[in-house]
Amino acid sequence: VNTCAHDGAAFHRCTERREYERELLRAKLEPVSEAGRQLLATAAVIGRSFDFDTVRVASGRSEEETVAALEELTERGLVHELREASELPVVTYDFSHERIRALVYEETSLARRRLLHRRVAEALAGRAHGRSPAASVARHFQLAGQDADAAGSFKAAGDHARTLYANREALAHYRTALALGHPDAAGLHEAIGD
């Protein structure tokens, strides 16, 4: 969101300040190891918060490499560890600031982002365990340029939303599946008409 005023000098000062902030963030990222950078890029693709297993699988790093890289990123203040209260705690992380995540995401090449979005979608789909991450899987497949997989996942997300009586979400998912060329257009039109 551009919040800089459009009146000459004020706009110039605002854009200079933003570039200065970006340079400060780049300097903070400079000393990060290669494994840390790879994990940071993967995490940036996942989103503001991410869990250990998804970032490990999607990054292609071993468990030990993932732990070491996340410890480095935590020590550098780039991410921090959160814990969810449940029977089997899931270790999750959060970027210390959205601007760090955004900068890492923007500076990751499009080809790398697409590869990582596909890996994230596959990791999420493979670990569903009764939950329905179909909307998230669909979004990652779409950003990976995998329209056929995204269409199938959007239909599944629509079906799931429909079971929860979240009709507005179901319609949006079904329409996106149609736009991406889902092969069962007639079935989707029928679901939209219900």
Side-chain angles (χ1 to χ4, degrees):
V1 177
N2 188 356
T3 57
C4 292
H6 292 285
D7 64 357
F11 178 75
H12 183 68
R13 282 191 305 276
C14 183
T15 55
E16 278 183 348
R17 186 180 72 244
R18 283 202 173 161
E19 189 53 38
Y20 177 72
E21 289 170 358
R22 290 172 68 83
E23 288 304 318
L24 287 175
L25 292 175
R26 284 186 187 105
K28 193 169 184 168
L29 295 169
E30 182 84 23
V32 175
S33 69
E34 182 59 35
R37 285 180 180 273
Q38 187 180 13
L39 240 65
L40 210 52
T42 306
V45 164
I46 294 170
R48 175 76 191 249
S49 295
F50 55 95
D51 68 87
F52 178 86
D53 290 330
T54 303
V55 78
R56 181 188 57 77
V57 170
S59 70
R61 293 285 179 171
S62 71
E63 187 173 7
E64 184 60 38
E65 290 172 315
T66 303
V67 168
L70 286 170
E71 286 174 343
E72 175 193 6
L73 298 174
T74 301
E75 288 170 13
R76 294 189 182 282
L78 300 170
V79 300
H80 57 272
E81 186 179 271
L82 308 169
R83 292 194 186 265
E84 294 180 9
S86 68
E87 228 175 80
L88 296 173
V90 176
V91 180
T92 58
Y93 295 84
D94 192 34
F95 278 88
S96 58
H97 200 286
E98 173 58 22
R99 287 185 181 178
I100 293 171
R101 190 209 65 80
L103 179 67
V104 171
Y105 187 85
E106 290 167 12
E107 293 191 347
T108 301
S109 72
L110 178 59
R112 172 79 45 203
R113 286 195 314 253
R114 289 177 75 146
L115 169 72
L116 291 172
H117 277 295
R118 181 185 54 78
R119 286 180 175 177
V120 169
E122 291 169 350
L124 292 173
R127 295 183 327 102
H129 303 301
R131 294 174 293 144
S132 182
S136 184
V137 170
R139 183 181 71 80
H140 284 292
F141 272 136
Q142 186 178 25
L143 291 169
Q146 305 286 314
D147 289 352
D149 292 324
S153 294
F154 274 116
K155 183 190 180 303
D159 292 345
H160 179 72
R162 197 172 185 193
T163 65
L164 301 174
Y165 301 101
N167 295 326
R168 185 173 292 144
E169 289 83 1
L171 285 172
H173 293 316
Y174 288 147
R175 287 181 178 137
T176 304
L178 274 172
L180 292 172
H182 191 279
D184 185 16
L188 286 171
H189 283 293
E190 183 178 328
I192 289 170
D194 283 350

